Amino acid sequence: MKYKLLIILASLLSLAILLPACGLDSEREEIITFTSQALEIEAKRNELNSYIGLRAGRQSGFGLPALEGFVKQYFLNGYSQDDVELEGMTSLRKRLLFLDYSQSIQVIKDTLNDIYSSEVELAELQLQGEGYYVGAFDSGIPFFGAMLVLPEVNQQNIEFWLEEYKSWQFPASSSTLLMNHPWVELQLLRRDVYTRWAEILREHGIDPAQEGFTELVGR
């Protein structure tokens, strides 16, 4: 009997040691799974915006009307032609909303949800005829006019656009107008989210580079 009790006690102690470790491993796996799935959605969103920007062809001289047309046609509902399949923001927002996540990564999930919802809302407002106006006679900011959705502006190239304005010798206020634009503010927030996201991974012993999360490397 004595030996049986000792065996039982030893088993319980082993279980007590293993359970926290199992819990930590489970949480790490949940964080990794969420990050992988969320970054896949982000990649699809980036692909959609890049395609809209390229098809609008501002660099090729088609100008603002083409960009407005492509945003109206494809931003919310996606694009499916010529062997190209791109999910629209309405679908991507729904996919992000239903992702499973651990409590430790909830701030990332919630903030991304808010960003996606805000981007969709800007597109809907634009479709209703609203725009980014800063004065009674001002059509908006150079290159983008009164557009509320700016597919070519993202979290990684905001500095490029600021430099672009300087190179074209726009008024100094143009840079301020760009930085205060609701779309740009969302991209700056997205950049902050990525920084915190990488920090959370490292706090849980996850190396973004080792897991292949290149978007979070260096943050």
Side-chain angles (χ1 to χ4, degrees):
M1 177 66 75
K2 181 179 178 181
Y3 292 111
K4 288 184 178 178
L5 288 173
L6 288 174
I7 292 172
I8 293 172
L9 285 173
S11 298
L12 289 174
L13 285 172
S14 299
L15 186 60
I17 294 171
L18 288 173
L19 281 177
C22 291
L24 289 173
D25 287 342
S26 175
E27 185 174 25
R28 288 180 76 258
E29 287 303 316
E30 288 177 357
I31 292 172
I32 290 172
T33 299
F34 168 80
T35 299
S36 177
Q37 293 173 342
L39 287 178
E40 179 184 348
I41 292 172
E42 279 281 272
K44 289 181 177 294
R45 174 201 167 277
N46 295 339
E47 187 179 6
L48 171 70
N49 280 280
S50 296
Y51 190 78
I52 290 174
L54 289 173
R55 285 295 300 267
R58 182 178 287 115
Q59 296 91 338
S60 301
F62 289 100
L64 193 60
L67 178 62
E68 292 174 336
F70 279 102
V71 168
K72 288 179 180 179
Q73 290 181 65
Y74 308 130
F75 184 77
L76 290 178
N77 299 318
Y79 180 88
S80 179
Q81 294 181 38
D82 305 324
D83 297 324
V84 177
E85 293 284 341
L86 299 172
E87 268 189 88
M89 283 295 292
T90 302
S91 173
L92 292 174
R93 177 180 61 172
K94 186 181 296 184
R95 286 182 55 189
L96 178 65
L97 182 64
F98 289 116
L99 286 186
D100 291 329
Y101 61 96
S102 70
Q103 187 173 359
S104 56
I105 204 90
Q106 182 173 354
V107 64
I108 303 300
K109 168 76 177 295
D110 290 347
T111 310
L112 281 177
N113 282 339
D114 289 342
I115 292 173
Y116 273 65
S117 294
S118 297
E119 289 176 339
V120 167
E121 182 180 0
L122 288 177
E124 291 172 343
L125 289 172
Q126 187 170 308
L127 290 177
Q128 294 168 13
E130 297 191 31
Y132 181 60
Y133 301 102
V134 293
F137 304 102
D138 199 324
S139 62
I141 52 179
F143 292 156
F144 298 111
M147 294 280 290
L148 288 173
V149 176
L150 311 179
E152 295 177 55
V153 179
N154 57 58
Q155 68 190 64
Q156 298 175 331
N157 68 11
I158 291 172
E159 287 79 9
F160 161 80
W161 284 108
L162 290 175
E163 291 300 320
E164 189 76 7
Y165 279 30
K166 293 176 184 177
S167 69
W168 282 70
Q169 297 181 341
F170 287 118
S173 60
S174 295
S175 296
T176 301
L177 295 178
L178 178 68
M179 295 304 290
N180 290 337
H181 192 288
W183 177 273
V184 173
E185 290 178 344
L186 290 173
Q187 309 321 309
L188 291 172
L189 177 58
R190 178 179 265 108
R191 188 166 65 181
D192 291 341
V193 167
Y194 271 52
T195 299
R196 179 59 187 139
W197 201 343
E199 290 173 353
I200 291 174
L201 263 62
R202 295 189 182 100
E203 288 169 3
H204 288 81
I206 303 168
D207 183 350
Q210 186 175 348
E211 295 297 334
F213 303 142
T214 56
E215 302 90 335
L216 304 179
V217 174
R219 295 182 178 275

